[in-house]
Amino acid sequence: MTGETKTGDARMGARILLIVGGGIAAYKSLELVRLLKKRGHRVRAVLTAAGAAFVTPLSLGSLTGDKVYQDLFSLTDEAEMGHIELSRAADLVVVAPATADLMAKAANGLANDLASTLLLATDKRVLMAPAMNVRMWRHAATERNLATLKADGVAFVGPGEGEMACGEYGPGRMAEPAEILAAIEALLEVGAAARPLAGLSALVTSGPTHEPIDPVRYIANRSSGKQGHAIAAALARAGARVTLISGPVAIEAPPGVTLVKVETAREMLAAAERALPADIAVCAAAVADWRAERDAAQKIKKTGDAPAPLALAENPDILAALSHHPFRRPKLVVGFAAETEQLVPHARLKLAKKGCDWIVANDVSPAGGVMGGDDNTVVLVTATAEEAWPTLPKDQVAERLAGRIAAEFART
Ligand code: CTP
């Protein structure tokens, strides 16, 4: 296990990015920070220019115990943490108070200051606690923006009804800090359930390898990378930090993974070792078992005589190397077995020979159309059991495998 916190239990100790907008309710955000800290959450604050008219960066910063971010174009801010990273290095983004202006910007995708840029750049859920004058809240424009934001997946808490600082009565008061805290923790809980692998890291190998014979020729196979890429995507969706090590493929890498492109088996092994430590390794690549013993510097020419024999050398076995790693063996190592006959007996032999924990065995006989196709029929072979899965699209095989991996980590 790496030294990271698992967001599965991160209701205590989540990372909150708090954007404080301009409004008299900003003072309540100081209390919100205090409550969040008391619950063990880490808070990083962003103060808008208008917000700074109501609370000072000094009071906010002394409560968060961190720097307060204010400028989009501040060299010191950017040197410490770029705005993209700032928007993503959090489990949840909270806007309190969310002014009519901030809501309008977020609803329309404007990004002309730090707060609005973060709201556009984030890949995390956003919770808004609106606060504004009752007429502003009831204005058709705000109502449109509210509907748009809700449709975009933004969550809301409040506003409450009551006497307002401006003397009017009605909805527009920011929710109380305790209410906002409850809404934050409810959202974190839902997030944790949907991301059972949060806090874990995974490496996935995918695609074929190309082994050069000379500058224009190489040894390859028919792997498309579809199954390996789908597994990387499913693990990332489940919250794992994924390094996808891919041989040459024609498909795009899924979003949210670190992609390392390689050509040969030896490059793939080096990249896999660089990706350690990792909690999970899934070797889905169809690694070429052999490479040309000599990679000719110039194109090999026909000489008129009998063709030159192609001498082969065996490639390193990445799955076996990870499974037998002396001090950084991933907790769970999953291999594939591409077979054309005796699927399960061959898979069992591979499990034992390579030292991995599970084997996803698939029949790659040309009649099945697995290589390059969209479906896969697999048997999951573990030390003690064999599970035959129905024929499924490759992304559903990936989804199931990610679910099984999450269950295994929950169990252990
Ligand atoms: N594998 C690997 N490195 C290699 C060869 C295979 O990491 N040099 C991995 C594959 O990614 C897969 C598993 O080992 O997870 C089994 O691959 P497969 O091609 O089915 O088996 P081989 O090792 O090639 O064995 P055989 O030739 O006996 O089928």
Side-chain angles (χ1 to χ4, degrees), residues 133-225:
N133 166 277
V134 55
R135 287 188 192 284
M136 291 169 76
W137 177 248
R138 288 198 168 135
H139 194 283
T142 305
E143 282 181 355
R144 272 197 307 275
N145 294 333
L146 179 66
T148 303
L149 290 168
K150 281 186 174 167
D152 289 348
V154 174
F156 283 86
V157 52
E161 247 180 67
E163 183 101 34
M164 316 220 29
C166 53
E168 290 185 62
Y169 187 91
R173 275 172 68 97
M174 186 168 90
E176 292 306 317
E179 241 180 289
I180 303 176
L181 174 69
I184 289 173
E185 292 195 335
L187 279 178
L188 289 172
E189 195 160 5
V190 173
R195 296 167 68 81
L197 294 177
L200 298 179
S201 55
L203 82 87
V204 178
T205 69
S206 183
T209 61
H210 285 183
E211 310 292 336
I213 298 170
D214 69 17
V216 295
R217 303 181 179 99
Y218 56 83
I219 302 171
N221 59 64
R222 296 184 192 282
S223 166
S224 64

Side-chain angles (χ1 to χ4, degrees), residues 213-377:
I213 298 170
D214 69 17
V216 295
R217 303 181 179 99
Y218 56 83
I219 302 171
N221 59 64
R222 296 184 192 282
S223 166
S224 64
K226 282 182 190 166
Q227 187 63 81
H229 278 49
I231 291 168
L235 293 173
R237 275 196 302 276
R241 265 184 300 112
V242 178
T243 303
L244 171 61
I245 303 164
S246 174
V249 292
I251 57 174
E252 294 276 315
V257 307
T258 304
L259 175 68
V260 183
K261 289 187 186 173
V262 297
E263 294 255 332
T264 67
R266 286 180 292 176
E267 287 168 11
M268 191 172 268
L269 174 64
E273 285 178 336
R274 274 198 308 275
L276 297 177
D279 299 295
I280 303 153
V282 181
C283 293
V287 184
D289 291 321
W290 299 285
R291 64 176 182 275
E293 197 172 55
R294 272 178 0 100
D295 172 7
Q298 305 301 333
K299 185 179 170 196
I300 302 169
K301 305 295 283 180
K302 289 193 290 288
T303 57
D305 303 329
L310 183 61
L312 298 176
E314 196 167 333
N315 265 330
D317 191 309
I318 299 154
L319 176 61
L322 293 173
S323 300
H324 293 122
H325 199 284
F327 53 96
R328 282 187 169 168
R329 184 193 195 277
K331 281 219 164 58
L332 184 69
V333 183
V334 183
F336 271 69
E339 307 294 345
T340 54
E341 52 166 353
Q342 296 193 52
L343 187 61
V344 172
H346 280 164
R348 280 232 165 271
L349 280 177
K350 257 175 212 172
L351 186 84
K353 195 170 93 191
K354 306 215 180 192
C356 57
D357 303 299
W358 298 352
I359 287 264
V360 180
N362 56 357
D363 189 336
V364 292
S365 309
V370 168
M371 281 269 183
D374 290 324
D375 291 345
N376 207 351
T377 315

Side-chain angles (χ1 to χ4, degrees), residues 10-168:
R11 273 169 304 150
M12 300 302 135
R15 297 161 304 171
I16 308 292
L17 181 69
L18 175 66
I19 298 176
V20 180
I24 188 74
Y27 78 93
K28 287 199 212 169
S29 300
L30 298 179
E31 173 64 5
L32 175 62
V33 174
R34 208 183 57 75
L35 293 180
L36 284 166
K37 298 280 286 189
K38 216 166 123 192
R39 297 282 289 172
H41 301 298
R42 284 162 290 164
V43 187
R44 185 168 269 150
V46 171
L47 188 58
T48 66
F54 294 89
V55 296
T56 68
L58 189 61
S59 49
L60 198 52
S62 17
L63 283 166
T64 60
D66 195 356
K67 174 185 164 55
V68 172
Y69 292 80
Q70 292 183 271
D71 291 321
L72 181 54
F73 300 112
S74 151
L75 279 179
T76 44
D77 284 4
E78 281 292 313
E80 279 168 36
M81 184 180 275
H83 60 270
I84 301 292
E85 203 186 332
L86 186 57
S87 73
R88 299 190 182 162
D91 299 306
L92 185 70
V93 179
V94 178
V95 190
T99 58
D101 179 65
L102 271 172
M103 284 176 60
K105 280 181 182 158
N108 291 288
L110 297 186
N112 61 354
D113 59 10
L114 182 59
S116 52
T117 303
L118 295 176
L119 288 169
L120 198 59
T122 189
D123 56 355
K124 298 298 167 10
R125 284 218 68 183
V126 176
L127 172 70
M128 290 192 169
M132 66 196 73
N133 166 277
V134 55
R135 287 188 192 284
M136 291 169 76
W137 177 248
R138 288 198 168 135
H139 194 283
T142 305
E143 282 181 355
R144 272 197 307 275
N145 294 333
L146 179 66
T148 303
L149 290 168
K150 281 186 174 167
D152 289 348
V154 174
F156 283 86
V157 52
E161 247 180 67
E163 183 101 34
M164 316 220 29
C166 53
E168 290 185 62

